[in-house]
Amino acid sequence: MSVIRVKRFRIKSYKKNIKPLLLMKGVNKSYGSQLVLDKINLEIMPASIVGLLGPNGSGKSTIFNLIMGILKVDSGKIIYGNKEIQNEPVTYRSKLGISVMMQERALFDLSTEDNLYSIAEILIKEKRKQKEVVDRLIGEFSLDSLRKQKARNLSGGQRAKLCLARTLINQPKLILLDEATAGLDPLTVQEVSRLILRLQSYHHVSLLITSHIVGDVMRVCDRLYILGNHKVIEEGSPQKVLKSAVAREMYFGDYEG
């Protein structure tokens, strides 16, 4: 199979004097006696794409849930902008500009446009503004021909695009994408990858991405974190991480990029 190549947009975020958008500092999390995360440090710079990789059970979903506020940290800090948010509720974090697209791509049993309106009506007061936002997102994500189609009848790629569009309604600064390309064919993966890059370059959104398919993350990310044994075992640019003996032994294996 030929390798799909996507041009990567770069914003020079990883420079001195630019503060991270989000920081996790010394975060610990256990489920009962089962340790899941051990002193996790992670940073996401403004307008950057960060990949979070690791084997099943390494804590990727737990990190997502801690950032969203679905779970509480046992200890450590989560700092968004200049605010500690580890004790704040989900609704507060959403208002700050954190959005999420989960692997299940859950949609309401409504039409494509009504799936967008259902969120817009909660987050945007003015009817005129609601329509402007919904129309803009439908156009941007090439969903116009699917406006009246029930979401349950959409293809996997169409559902992914609709879910991505929905994450933008609250004008987020950070989007968490859990397995955004799971179950998609190669051409749709390419399209979704381009949309992810558009979120970064056009909307100046930061993204934290997980995927079981290493190549899907490698082609779009500025920085990677590899989880193993409840810790971050390696971090840095994709090129640096791929050369790491520890990361290759524990996760990448013979992957060559």
Side-chain angles (χ1 to χ4, degrees):
M1 180 182 297
S2 61
V3 176
I4 296 172
R5 300 194 180 279
V6 178
K7 185 177 180 181
R8 289 159 69 173
F9 177 84
R10 295 290 191 186
I11 291 180
K12 303 291 186 181
S13 296
Y14 288 88
K15 298 190 299 185
K16 293 180 180 179
N17 303 323
I18 297 181
K19 295 181 179 180
L21 175 64
L22 183 131
L23 270 175
M24 300 185 80
K25 298 179 67 175
V27 168
N28 295 292
K29 181 64 182 178
S30 298
Y31 298 129
S33 61
Q34 179 66 44
L35 178 66
V36 180
L37 300 175
D38 184 13
K39 297 178 181 176
I40 296 295
N41 296 309
L42 181 149
E43 69 175 30
I44 302 172
M45 302 301 287
S48 67
I49 303 179
V50 176
L52 185 63
L53 299 175
N56 289 336
S58 60
K60 300 186 297 296
S61 294
T62 298
I63 286 176
F64 269 41
N65 289 332
L66 290 173
I67 293 173
M68 285 300 300
I70 296 169
L71 296 174
K72 298 294 185 183
V73 303
D74 294 339
S75 59
K77 297 180 179 180
I78 301 176
I79 301 169
Y80 182 83
N82 295 316
K83 301 176 182 178
E84 290 189 23
I85 63 169
Q86 65 271 7
N87 296 317
E88 301 292 349
V90 173
T91 51
Y92 177 84
R93 302 184 200 203
S94 177
K95 289 177 181 178
L96 285 180
I98 300 177
S99 193
V100 64
M101 173 177 148
M102 300 306 291
Q103 180 178 357
E104 295 79 11
R105 301 179 195 136
L107 294 167
F108 300 118
D109 189 20
L110 301 168
S111 68
T112 295
E113 69 174 358
D114 284 342
N115 263 276
L116 296 174
Y117 271 116
S118 63
I119 304 299
E121 288 169 355
I122 295 171
L123 299 175
I124 303 170
K125 291 183 179 180
E126 296 181 30
K127 292 286 187 182
R128 177 183 59 80
K129 185 65 174 176
Q130 292 170 11
K131 185 176 187 307
E132 286 178 2
V133 170
V134 169
D135 286 347
R136 175 175 57 79
L137 291 173
I138 282 177
E140 183 175 340
F141 285 82
S142 302
L143 295 169
D144 196 62
S145 64
L146 303 171
R147 273 181 180 269
K148 302 301 181 181
Q149 188 162 320
K150 288 281 190 178
R152 64 171 177 266
N153 296 326
L154 298 179
S155 68
Q158 291 165 344
R159 290 176 67 90
K161 288 164 64 176
L162 177 54
C163 287
L164 275 175
R166 204 166 59 171
T167 65
L168 289 176
I169 290 175
N170 68 333
Q171 296 182 308
K173 297 177 183 176
L174 173 63
I175 299 177
L176 313 180
L177 298 181
D178 188 16
E179 299 289 343
T181 58
L184 303 181
D185 64 85
L187 288 177
T188 304
V189 168
Q190 182 180 22
E191 184 177 9
V192 170
S193 295
R194 286 175 176 157
L195 287 171
I196 288 170
L197 290 171
R198 180 174 173 82
L199 295 180
Q200 180 200 29
S201 60
Y202 182 75
H203 293 278
H204 290 184
V205 170
S206 296
L207 300 104
L208 181 63
I209 303 174
T210 69
S211 179
H212 284 95
I213 304 173
V214 174
D216 291 355
V217 173
M218 286 290 188
R219 69 169 59 92
V220 297
C221 285
D222 304 300
R223 191 172 183 84
L224 295 177
Y225 286 84
I226 310 299
L227 300 177
N229 295 331
H230 318 296
K231 301 176 180 288
V232 174
I233 60 170
E234 189 60 84
E235 63 179 281
S237 68
Q239 295 80 8
K240 173 182 178 289
V241 170
L242 196 55
K243 293 176 182 177
S244 165
V246 174
R248 293 185 75 86
E249 179 182 351
M250 295 189 67
Y251 184 68
F252 289 118
D254 295 327
Y255 178 78
E256 295 297 336

